[in-house]
Amino acid sequence: MQQKVIEIIAEIKEEPGLLQTLSGASDLTLDAALDSLQIINFILRVEDEFNIEVDFDTFDLEHLKSVDRFSAYVAGLAV
Amino acid sequence: MMRNAVHCGSLESERYWREEDLASLPAIPDAKALAIVQAMDEMLFVFCGSGDVLLTRQGMNRAQYDYLQALGYAFSTNMDTLRLETVESVPAQAALNIFELLGRMDAGQEPDRLIPEGALLEPFAVLPGTQEAVSRYKLLPTLPDEEIVRAVNTKSYSTAMRDRLGLPNIAVVVDSLEELLQSGQALLEKGAFLIKDEYGVSGKGNQLVDSERMLRRMAGHLESSRNQGKRIRFVLEPLLDRETDFSCQFQIDPEGRVTLLSAQQLVNKGFAFGESRSPQPSLLDKLDKEGYWETMHSIGRELHADGYYGEVCVDSMLLRDGSLAPLVEINARKSMSLIKHHVDRRFKQEGMHTCLIQVPLAAMGKVHYEELLERMEETGILFSLGAGEGVMPLTSSALQPLDPSRAAGSTKGKLYAALTYRSEDSKRGLIHTLDESLMRTGYTILR
């Protein structure tokens, strides 16, 4: 899942180079530099990809602290 | 008698106009982003005349103040952060706009010493609390009614204005989930469309819908808001095939006279890096020929008829097929483009180009802004009087705003700067040296 999450980030940012530079430890708002609008579009893309639904009203920004943490959050929703 | 003015404002005006019972599109609350935009009020120094007062939320950095004085700006300002002594909760304070904050401050603090009685208030926008601040500091109000300002800044007002002026109108206002789904389906048959929040701003409050699945997802999100008692009201618009975004700035005086001030073009390079610059002559020529300025005058007249006066920024678009969309939205307030215009008015030199840029940043630990100014001076890129080309930073505390959560670790910030340059080559050189200066000072560039 981690790889797919990174692919979606690179797609949203339109920066293929991120496929090489991002890792499980990368922070989504700092290392990947997703802005607030991109975060929404990123989450909506992830919802499509993993067939999950995020509750935006309760979403915790802590989930964006790393690709690994976000992947774990998504995995939790997919159960 | 010329009265001195007090300049202040909250640049995230839409946030304070928005009624609490309106349902919102998906959004992530971001306290760090709010802290940045709150610290951007420093840029209002560009409107200061000699002897005026600038009040900023965070207080201007001393080195920035000295730099601006050297450029000829002669205003006084607060150096300390404006805060309420009696409120223990920092987030509660962060939720107030600057007028609410000023209106509630105890007597005897810095603003009391700075604000001369009977001065004119020059807000970025009229917000809830503006009138209270006017009476608290005995300022002179020549300000339109807050409820009128709120109403004319909605997307549905802009939509209705197109009809009033006989302009082509492709927008639909929806007031229920059923209308959203019905109109959304109809629009999707022709292509992608945008759901616009009544008080959306660029980069926030607009959602692109390009599939039925996305439409259902948005409806699902809004349904849960509606079930919590929130009101549904959005504007739907087919996605325009845009070539260029630009805007027109004008002023309406209390008697209704409309004065056109400038037009500015917005250039998007990638996602997080936008700049505004003067429009190409070919665009200006087109605006002349197609009666664009007359449309702006008409918008001004109608706004005045509805009770608004003050500054206005109308967002417009040039489409790929060569046609103009003169009225995309009305912003009844000052604007970033007006800030750019004021810098130009003061410093524009013959044969030079100017633009306004923003650089999103992050920093670990405390970074010293004055070191950035020193580096910029050493490398010869800091704009100074008579220097020709250069970079003029417009923000200091926004580079590392006070974190409302007071969390340790990294802070996010933004540098806004005005560039004066002779050619595209020299502009690239200035930006390259600016980036290096920022990185050597300890900032990471988020671009």
Side-chain angles (χ1 to χ4, degrees):
Chain A
M1 181 184 293
Q2 185 205 80
Q3 192 50 38
K4 193 68 210 173
V5 168
I6 291 174
E7 278 173 38
I8 296 173
I9 295 171
E11 181 192 315
I12 295 280
K13 295 288 292 183
E14 294 181 14
E15 276 180 41
L18 290 174
L19 294 172
Q20 270 73 53
T21 53
L22 294 182
S23 70
S26 303
D27 184 307
L28 278 75
T29 61
L30 291 173
D31 303 311
L34 288 169
D35 65 26
S36 51
L37 183 67
Q38 291 166 347
I39 288 168
I40 300 295
N41 289 322
F42 163 73
I43 293 176
L44 291 169
R45 263 291 281 121
V46 168
E47 285 189 343
D48 262 1
E49 186 68 34
F50 298 102
N51 204 22
I52 53 155
E53 196 158 294
V54 169
D55 182 353
F56 285 98
D57 296 331
T58 57
F59 183 82
D60 188 344
L61 283 172
E62 289 296 307
H63 299 313
L64 301 173
K65 289 279 181 207
S66 75
V67 169
D68 282 343
R69 282 167 83 162
F70 184 77
S71 303
Y73 166 72
V74 172
L77 289 177
V79 174
Chain B
M1 184 183 79
M2 274 293 279
R3 287 179 185 275
N4 283 334
V6 175
H7 301 262
C8 65
S10 291
L11 272 68
E12 70 291 15
S13 318
E14 285 73 9
R15 175 188 163 90
Y16 304 105
W17 285 325
R18 202 169 191 287
E19 293 92 2
E20 276 184 12
D21 68 338
L22 271 180
S24 332
L25 293 164
I28 305 285
D30 187 347
K32 287 188 177 181
L34 177 61
I36 296 173
V37 64
Q38 285 183 335
M40 281 161 50
D41 60 359
E42 244 182 59
M43 282 191 277
L44 302 181
F45 77 82
V46 303
F47 300 115
C48 287
S50 188
D52 283 356
V53 176
L54 170 72
L55 293 174
T56 69
R57 198 171 182 107
Q58 195 170 328
M60 188 177 277
N61 178 286
R62 168 60 72 178
Q64 175 73 356
Y65 180 75
D66 292 343
Y67 168 64
L68 295 175
Q69 298 286 314
L71 286 180
Y73 287 99
F75 59 90
S76 46
T77 191
N78 59 306
M79 294 290 165
D80 295 326
T81 302
L82 302 180
R83 57 166 65 97
L84 304 179
E85 301 297 334
T86 46
V87 171
E88 57 294 332
S89 152
V90 179
Q93 195 155 311
L96 300 176
N97 71 49
I98 192 156
F99 302 110
E100 294 165 333
L101 196 56
L102 284 168
R104 293 174 200 188
M105 283 178 78
D106 292 335
Q109 297 197 58
E110 216 178 352
D112 277 314
R113 291 192 290 276
L114 284 167
I115 300 175
E117 203 171 297
L120 285 168
L121 180 65
E122 271 288 342
F124 182 78
V126 175
L127 299 178
T130 306
Q131 286 301 341
E132 286 79 354
V134 161
S135 17
R136 159 83 166 76
Y137 295 95
K138 300 186 173 62
L139 295 167
L140 271 192
T142 38
L143 300 171
D145 180 74
E146 180 200 319
E147 285 310 315
I148 290 173
V149 176
R150 205 190 271 264
V152 300
N153 276 289
T154 59
K155 298 291 177 292
S156 54
Y157 181 86
S158 291
T159 301
M161 181 64 83
R162 289 185 208 139
D163 289 338
R164 280 163 74 171
L165 299 180
L167 296 170
N169 193 3
I170 47 170
V172 189
V173 180
V174 295
D175 288 304
S176 69
L177 282 177
E178 294 68 31
E179 283 177 28
L180 169 70
L181 284 165
Q182 202 177 7
S183 302
Q185 288 285 4
L187 285 168
L188 268 180
E189 281 171 24
K190 293 177 199 140
F193 71 93
L194 287 174
I195 306 180
K196 292 181 159 187
D197 183 276
E198 274 286 66
Y199 297 98
V201 289
S202 67
K204 226 171 86 183
N206 286 345
Q207 183 62 51
L208 177 67
V209 176
D210 55 4
S211 66
E212 275 199 50
R213 186 190 157 96
M214 181 64 95
L215 176 59
R216 282 197 304 274
R217 177 70 183 92
M218 289 304 120
H221 169 81
L222 294 170
E223 190 176 10
S224 64
S225 308
R226 187 198 57 185
N227 294 343
Q228 290 161 35
K230 300 269 185 182
R231 189 158 54 92
I232 305 288
R233 189 171 177 86
F234 294 97
V235 172
L236 311 188
E237 273 182 22
L239 188 63
L240 295 172
D241 195 9
R242 123 189 29 185
E243 172 78 31
T244 303
D245 283 312
F246 64 99
S247 63
C248 176
Q249 292 70 50
F250 59 87
Q251 184 152 30
I252 311 168
D253 75 13
E255 284 74 45
R257 276 183 296 267
V258 177
T259 311
L260 296 180
L261 300 172
S262 80
Q264 303 291 340
Q265 196 166 347
L266 199 70
V267 184
N268 288 312
K269 287 182 179 171
F271 281 102
F273 189 78
E275 66 169 64
S276 71
R277 56 160 74 158
S278 302
Q280 308 287 349
S282 59
L283 177 59
L284 288 174
D285 197 38
K286 190 174 179 64
L287 301 184
D288 286 343
K289 282 189 186 129
E290 299 201 11
Y292 176 80
W293 311 113
E294 288 77 5
T295 303
M296 295 302 120
H297 267 282
S298 306
I299 294 172
R301 271 194 303 274
E302 296 296 317
L303 277 166
H304 187 260
D306 288 344
Y308 180 80
Y309 51 91
E311 288 87 357
V312 181
C313 175
V314 173
D315 291 342
S316 310
M317 243 185 235
L318 173 64
L319 307 182
R320 268 187 220 285
D321 66 5
S323 60
L324 280 180
L327 171 49
V328 174
E329 67 178 68
I330 296 166
N331 298 294
R333 51 167 171 75
K334 292 189 172 85
S335 57
M336 289 301 292
S337 296
L338 190 66
I339 289 174
K340 154 92 167 47
H341 168 66
H342 273 255
V343 175
D344 282 354
R345 219 174 58 169
R346 194 166 178 126
F347 297 111
K348 183 93 163 70
Q349 310 158 64
E350 197 60 38
M352 291 281 195
H353 304 283
T354 58
C355 72
L356 196 141
I357 63 163
Q358 49 171 309
V359 189
L361 305 164
M364 291 296 290
K366 179 82 188 131
V367 182
H368 298 280
Y369 176 79
E370 49 276 23
E371 287 176 19
L372 174 68
L373 278 187
E374 279 165 24
R375 272 206 178 82
M376 289 174 66
E377 194 166 17
E378 279 164 21
T379 51
I381 61 163
L382 187 67
F383 182 82
S384 62
L385 288 179
E389 296 186 309
V391 180
M392 174 182 167
L394 304 176
T395 49
S396 59
S397 47
L399 276 73
Q400 196 168 33
L402 296 172
D403 187 345
S405 65
R406 297 194 171 164
S410 68
T411 51
K412 283 175 106 176
K414 234 177 213 184
L415 168 72
Y416 279 84
L419 266 57
T420 301
Y421 57 97
R422 272 188 196 87
S423 66
E424 287 302 313
D425 260 358
S426 55
K427 176 181 163 190
R428 273 192 290 276
L430 287 173
I431 291 179
H432 178 74
T433 311
L434 172 64
D435 284 359
E436 277 183 353
S437 304
L438 283 164
M439 290 187 286
R440 285 176 56 206
T441 312
Y443 300 101
T444 306
I445 297 171
L446 300 178
R447 205 187 273 152

